[in-house]
């Protein structure tokens, strides 16, 4: 409203009118801050949020916050891998012994229990954990690469396939195969050293002596002689493993919330099925890694006695027949069931802890901002 230039208004009236206007504006701002926000318009800036949500998924725990990145997956994967391999390492040693095609008379076990009893009695209680140190050193970085590659590929492929709720069996299987290639490239030399230290009458004094001797006598190729076989085994293993795990989670935990029981059961079932299906290839890999004629009873015959996958298949069949391809299947399943259950449980636990910390930090920051804004507005209105 315009005021005539010739009309006189007292100064006190002007000050009172100004105070009332500023106080009213402050109260309106406080009410607006406390009221539920209305739906934002799709401006160019707000369009970025739905795009990010479509990539990460609706469940914050399952997909983890975008700020987590590869560091989160690698840390969780490293801890899961180390615990998985070290906790059930004795079963892995027994499995390797039972897959031997040229066992000594004293190393022909009737079963898993008999193997543990015989090894403890003849070679000592701690013989079944020989080589666990090299596995602990290798499993950490190998599984860090493994899980980070899997999560990244799964997220990317699921988004490309426009899968429902961010889940796709094709994406899960493909991501598992890609992660396997990265994992095996790092882990294969570790497997060679581990297998040779696990065998009966192993001539090596320790990890360093084994690595030095194998490299000196057989060259660098010895550490990757079974790489092709490992890929042929682990690709279907991990595809089956991840697909069954994700399918079990959809059935047992459709909300995709952190539930230790469902993670453990799903991992246990997935590991058992995948292990049973790929046992023949695992026997071939063990034969390629151990080169039994080279290490049994401290005898070394020079060059490798089994140079490739076809030769390994022929050697196993000629010595033990079809049954030889399923040697140690019970020990392998018993090893993989707790191993995969533990691995997934630890991995999902780390995801849950990290996502909770990120969400708490966001909520704390948002609450602090709101309190500061309201306090500043109220103080301004009172001062004015």
């Amino acid at each position: 409203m315009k005021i005539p230039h010739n009309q006189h208004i007292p100064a006190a009236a002007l000050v009172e009118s100004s105070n009332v206007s500023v106080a009213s504006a402050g109260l309106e701002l406080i009410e607006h801050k406390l009221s539920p926000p209305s739906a934002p318009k799709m401006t160019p800036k707000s369009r970025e949020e739905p795009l990010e949500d479509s990539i990460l998924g609706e469940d914050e725990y399952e997909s983890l916050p975008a700020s987590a990145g590869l560091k989160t997956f690698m840390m969780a994967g490293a801890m899961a891998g180390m615990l998985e391999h070290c906790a059930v390492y004795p079963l892995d040693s027994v499995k390797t012994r039972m897959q031997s095609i040229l066992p000594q008379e004293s190393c022909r076990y009737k079963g898993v229990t008999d193997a543990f009893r015989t090894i403890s009695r003849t070679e000592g209680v701690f013989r079944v954990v020989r080589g666990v140190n090299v596995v602990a050193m290798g499993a950490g970085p190998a599984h860090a690469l493994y899980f980070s590659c899997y999560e990244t590929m799964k997220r990317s492929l699921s988004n490309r396939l426009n899968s429902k709720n961010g889940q796709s069996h094709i994406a899960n299987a493909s991501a598992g195969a890609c992660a396997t290639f990265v994992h095996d490239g790092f882990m294969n030399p570790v497997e060679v050293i581990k297998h040779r230290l696990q065998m009966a009458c192993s001539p090596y004094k320790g990890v360093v002596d084994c690595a030095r001797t194998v490299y000196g006598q057989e060259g660098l190729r010895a550490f990757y002689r079974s790489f092709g076989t490992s890929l042929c085994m682990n690709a279907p293993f991990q595809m089956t493993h991840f697909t069954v795990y994700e399918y079990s989670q959809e059935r047992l935990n459709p909300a995709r919330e952190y539930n230790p029981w469902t993670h453990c059961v799903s991992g246990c079932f997935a590991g058992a099925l995948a292990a049973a299906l790929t046992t023949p290839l695992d026997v071939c890999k063990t034969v390629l890694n151990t080169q039994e004629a080279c290490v049994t009873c401290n005898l070394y015959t020079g060059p490798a006695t089994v140079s490739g996958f076809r030769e390994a298949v022929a050697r196993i069949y000629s010595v033990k027949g079809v049954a030889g391809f399923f040697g140690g299947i019970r020990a392998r399943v018993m090893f993989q069931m707790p191993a995969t259950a533990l691995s997934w449980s630890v991995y999902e636990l780390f995801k849950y802890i990290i996502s909770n910390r990120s969400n708490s930090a966001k909520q704390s920051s948002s609450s602090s901002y709101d309190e500061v804004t309201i306090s500043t507005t109220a103080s301004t209105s009172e001062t004015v």
Side-chain angles (χ1 to χ4, degrees), residues 44-61:
K45 184 177 181 181
S46 63
R47 285 194 185 99
E48 296 176 1
E49 295 178 1
L51 177 61
E52 183 180 358
D53 291 342
S54 65
I55 294 175
L56 298 180
E58 298 177 356
D59 191 343
E60 293 182 357
Y61 151 67

Side-chain angles (χ1 to χ4, degrees), residues 130-192:
R130 188 171 189 239
V132 69
N133 50 345
V134 69
V135 171
M137 290 187 294
H143 278 70
L145 295 172
Y146 175 73
F147 277 105
S148 60
C149 180
Y150 171 71
E151 292 285 359
T152 304
M153 290 296 297
K154 183 181 75 170
R155 178 182 297 176
S156 177
L157 292 174
S158 296
N159 182 54
R160 288 177 179 272
L161 294 172
N162 296 321
S163 55
K164 184 179 180 181
N165 296 327
Q167 297 296 327
S168 169
H169 295 310
I170 297 176
N172 295 336
S174 301
C178 293
T180 298
F181 182 84
V182 175
H183 170 272
D184 286 359
F186 190 92
M187 198 67 179
N188 212 81
V190 175
E191 291 283 330
V192 173

Side-chain angles (χ1 to χ4, degrees), residues 69-83:
L70 292 178
K71 183 179 179 181
T72 297
F73 299 132
M74 295 182 76
M75 183 171 63
M79 293 301 298
M82 291 176 65
L83 290 174

